[in-house]
Amino acid sequence: MPAIEKICVFCGSSEGNDQAIIDAAVRLGETFAKREITLVYGAAKIGVMGIIAKATLDAGGKVTGVIPGFLKKKEVVHLGLTQLITTDNMHERKLRMHELSDGFIAMPGGIGTLEELFEILTWLQLGLHTKPIGLLNINGFYNDLLQLLETMVRKGFVSMENYELLLVGTTIDGLLEKMSQFKAPPIPHWLTEERT
């Protein structure tokens, strides 16, 4: 696949209470800057989101933030980004982040992070894009989620092929390597132009 130059990161607008996650966010931002990968994210200056953005910028990297107008408050939006894009709503925000990015990484976060992860994963499953999706499983944060997905496979609700679309890593370098080697499966035969 082509080189990954821009990665969208889904993560928490809270910092949580696990220092390992905060440290990983800093390392991810530094790694992006070192590898000249532009960070695309939700434009907040708070939580894990803000930590990654600050680390990327502090290390000389580029950051593009995408935020809907109703969230664009002084205490939330990061005003020091390389590029700031304002959208009309959440749906447009997610579509814009998808368009801007060559791949996606989900770090620890809350309900919004899961919603973003599973929407972009569903789009890949449906053949609406061919970009790699990584799950950075810091300190076992996503172990229970992965166990649930395995149960879905065993119970016949998720195919093994679709389960394997989600690239899981416990280290940043390892996950980025998996993403660089990713090859999207062919579009499902049951999908036609009329259905998409």
Side-chain angles (χ1 to χ4, degrees):
M1 70 170 291
I4 299 176
E5 298 178 350
K6 298 179 179 180
I7 292 179
C8 179
V9 175
F10 305 132
C11 57
S13 57
S14 298
E15 291 187 12
N17 56 19
D18 186 341
Q19 187 62 41
I21 293 170
I22 294 171
D23 293 344
V26 172
R27 287 196 307 275
L28 184 60
E30 292 171 346
T31 300
F32 278 8
K34 181 179 178 183
R35 295 190 181 205
E36 298 184 345
I37 296 172
T38 297
L39 167 66
V40 178
Y41 86 121
K45 68 177 183 181
I46 57 175
V48 176
M49 296 171 74
I51 292 169
I52 294 174
K54 183 178 187 306
T56 306
L57 293 166
D58 286 351
K62 295 180 181 177
V63 180
T64 296
V66 185
I67 193 165
F70 77 92
L71 285 180
K72 199 174 179 183
K73 302 172 184 174
K74 284 188 178 178
E75 68 269 20
V76 173
V77 69
H78 194 309
L79 297 176
L81 304 177
T82 312
Q83 181 182 23
L84 179 64
I85 298 170
T86 304
T87 63
D88 291 333
N89 52 56
M90 293 290 283
H91 296 292
E92 186 183 334
R93 176 202 217 180
K94 289 183 290 183
L95 182 60
R96 194 79 181 98
M97 289 195 296
H98 163 258
E99 292 169 345
L100 288 166
S101 304
D102 303 315
F104 307 87
I105 291 176
M107 279 201 66
I111 292 170
T113 301
L114 291 178
E115 187 268 338
E116 291 170 322
L117 169 64
F118 281 108
E119 181 168 60
I120 206 67
L121 188 59
T122 300
W123 290 3
L124 176 58
Q125 174 185 314
L126 293 173
L128 300 178
H129 73 84
T130 58
K131 302 171 184 180
I133 303 169
L135 187 72
L136 192 54
N137 190 18
I138 302 300
N139 214 13
F141 183 86
Y142 281 117
N143 286 354
D144 291 338
L145 178 64
L146 294 170
Q147 188 173 5
L148 174 60
L149 290 172
E150 290 168 8
T151 298
M152 290 176 171
V153 172
R154 287 196 307 274
K155 299 292 185 180
F157 287 98
V158 175
S159 70
M160 182 56 72
E161 181 182 57
N162 287 335
Y163 173 80
E164 291 175 347
L165 292 176
L166 184 60
L167 309 173
V168 181
T170 56
T171 67
I172 293 165
D173 289 339
L175 184 58
L176 290 175
E177 177 61 25
K178 285 184 179 182
M179 292 175 69
S180 71
Q181 301 297 321
F182 177 74
K183 290 183 176 63
I187 294 174
H189 66 275
W190 54 269
L191 280 178
T192 62
E193 188 77 23
E194 296 75 40
R195 287 182 172 177
T196 57

